[in-house]
């Protein structure tokens, strides 16, 4: 008789609010340091030392904020949908908390991507906003984040709120490939991807290296924000648990 496949131990550990709280306490300082160092180096290098673009001049430097924000906004949504699916299937409380925490962070990052895109678009296209496929799909992403967050905050029952938010986030996943491939599927004003993992960057190293550093810095900053928000959510939902009461008494 064939053995039934079991999920690894660490997968179930992630579902423990106390385990997540403890492990995040150890990880937070390292991610804070990494975020500060990477964002500082990337920002100074990109804004002060990277050469100007031969076509866009210095206005291209907004790329060092816009591109990391746009990439992270999509990654955050994918994580939110995965966490929501785990919550639906395996009923893991921490997964639901992570999904809820992703929504406001992702919405903020999406706003940053849209605002910096508008600042970039004005000198490039001559307009703050055009109903371009990439821009429109990013705006839809923001609305999806707002929708998921609204469901989590307006439905009083945490289980029902998590299920509704998870379903919406999973349905909204269809928008992610639209954002990514819109410049290839339709005739848009938005330029193609600046660089990809599998292809050689289209810009010189002194321009794309600080951009890569900024992307990593944004991800580290996101990790910090997500852990902090999830920890607050854990304390709120587990406030009657013995380990939370003990921690409060010790402090």
């Amino acid at each position: 008789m064939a053995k039934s496949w079991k999920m690894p131990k660490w997968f179930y550990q992630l579902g423990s609010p106390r385990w997540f709280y403890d492990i995040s306490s150890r990880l937070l300082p390292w991610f804070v340091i990494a975020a500060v160092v990477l964002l500082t180096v990337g920002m100074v290098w990109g804004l002060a030392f990277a050469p100007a673009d031969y076509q866009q001049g210095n206005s291209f430097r907004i790329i060092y904020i816009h591109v990391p924000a746009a990439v992270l906004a999509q990654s955050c949504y994918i994580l939110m949908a995965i966490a929501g699916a785990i919550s639906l299937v395996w009923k893991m409380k921490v997964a639901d908390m992570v999904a809820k925490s992703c929504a406001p962070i992702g919405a903020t990052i999406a706003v940053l991507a849209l605002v910096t895109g508008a600042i970039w678009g004005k000198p490039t296209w001559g307009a703050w906003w055009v109903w371009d496929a990439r821009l429109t799909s990013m705006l839809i992403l923001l609305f999806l984040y707002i929708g998921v967050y609204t469901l989590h905050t307006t439905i009083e029952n945490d289980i029902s709120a998590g299920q509704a938010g998870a379903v919406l986030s999973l349905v909204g996943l269809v928008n992610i490939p639209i954002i990514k491939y819109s410049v290839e599927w339709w005739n848009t004003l938005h330029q193609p991807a600046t660089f990809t993992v599998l292809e050689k960057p289209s810009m010189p190293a002194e321009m794309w290296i600080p951009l890569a550093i900024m992307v990593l810095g944004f991800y580290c900053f996101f990790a910090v924000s997500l852990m902090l928000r999830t920890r607050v959510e854990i304390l709120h939902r587990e406030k009657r648990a013995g380990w939370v009461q003990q921690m409060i008494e010790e402090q």
Side-chain angles (χ1 to χ4, degrees):
M1 186 176 178
K3 292 183 178 180
S4 59
W5 185 76
K6 294 182 179 180
M7 297 297 292
K9 182 180 178 181
W10 61 262
F11 182 80
Y12 292 102
Q13 285 179 323
L14 284 174
S16 167
R18 182 172 185 176
W19 186 87
F20 183 94
Y21 196 92
D22 290 341
I23 196 67
S24 62
S25 298
R26 303 172 191 173
L27 294 176
L28 265 171
W30 297 102
F31 276 96
V32 169
I33 294 172
V36 170
V37 171
L38 289 169
L39 290 175
T40 301
V41 172
M43 189 75 70
V44 172
W45 189 347
L47 298 184
F49 295 101
D53 185 76
Y54 74 99
Q55 287 183 322
Q56 301 178 43
N58 285 317
S59 64
F60 99 100
R61 296 185 191 279
I62 197 70
I63 193 177
Y64 295 108
I65 300 175
H66 173 70
V67 170
V71 171
L72 182 55
Q74 298 171 67
S75 299
C76 179
Y77 191 91
I78 293 172
L79 176 60
M80 182 176 69
I82 292 174
I86 292 174
S87 175
L88 281 176
V89 176
W90 286 281
K91 312 299 181 185
M92 286 188 176
K93 291 188 293 184
V94 171
D96 180 51
M97 297 178 200
V98 168
K100 180 180 179 180
S101 300
C102 280
I105 300 173
T108 303
I109 297 169
V111 168
L112 180 61
L114 289 167
V115 170
T116 52
I119 295 173
W120 193 2
K122 179 60 176 177
T124 304
W125 303 330
W128 295 103
W129 178 268
V130 292
W131 290 102
D132 179 90
R134 173 65 65 82
L135 274 65
T136 304
S137 53
M138 277 297 298
L139 182 62
I140 293 172
L141 184 70
L142 172 60
F143 291 154
L144 287 168
Y145 274 126
I146 294 174
V148 172
Y149 182 70
T150 301
L151 290 173
H152 275 286
T153 54
T154 57
I155 300 176
E156 294 183 2
N157 184 278
D158 289 333
I159 297 177
S160 299
Q163 291 174 343
V167 170
L168 177 58
S169 62
L170 288 170
V171 171
L173 274 176
V174 70
N175 189 51
I176 299 299
I178 294 176
I179 295 174
K180 180 174 177 57
Y181 296 108
S182 57
V183 294
E184 300 176 14
W185 291 345
W186 296 287
N187 183 22
T188 69
L189 292 175
H190 200 285
Q191 70 182 57
T194 304
F195 65 89
T196 61
V197 176
L198 300 178
E199 298 179 3
K200 183 179 179 180
S202 59
M203 56 174 62
E206 58 267 29
M207 296 172 72
W208 71 259
I209 290 178
L211 179 57
I213 293 174
M214 285 295 291
V215 170
L216 291 175
F218 263 67
Y219 273 105
C220 289
F221 174 77
F222 167 69
V224 172
S225 302
L226 182 60
M227 284 189 282
L228 288 175
R229 289 195 68 95
T230 305
R231 284 162 63 87
V232 171
E233 190 66 25
I234 287 174
L235 293 178
H236 173 70
R237 296 196 193 185
E238 302 292 309
K239 56 188 175 184
R240 293 184 177 85
W243 67 274
V244 175
Q245 294 295 328
Q246 181 181 357
M247 184 176 63
I248 294 174
E249 292 175 359
E250 291 176 352
Q251 294 179 351

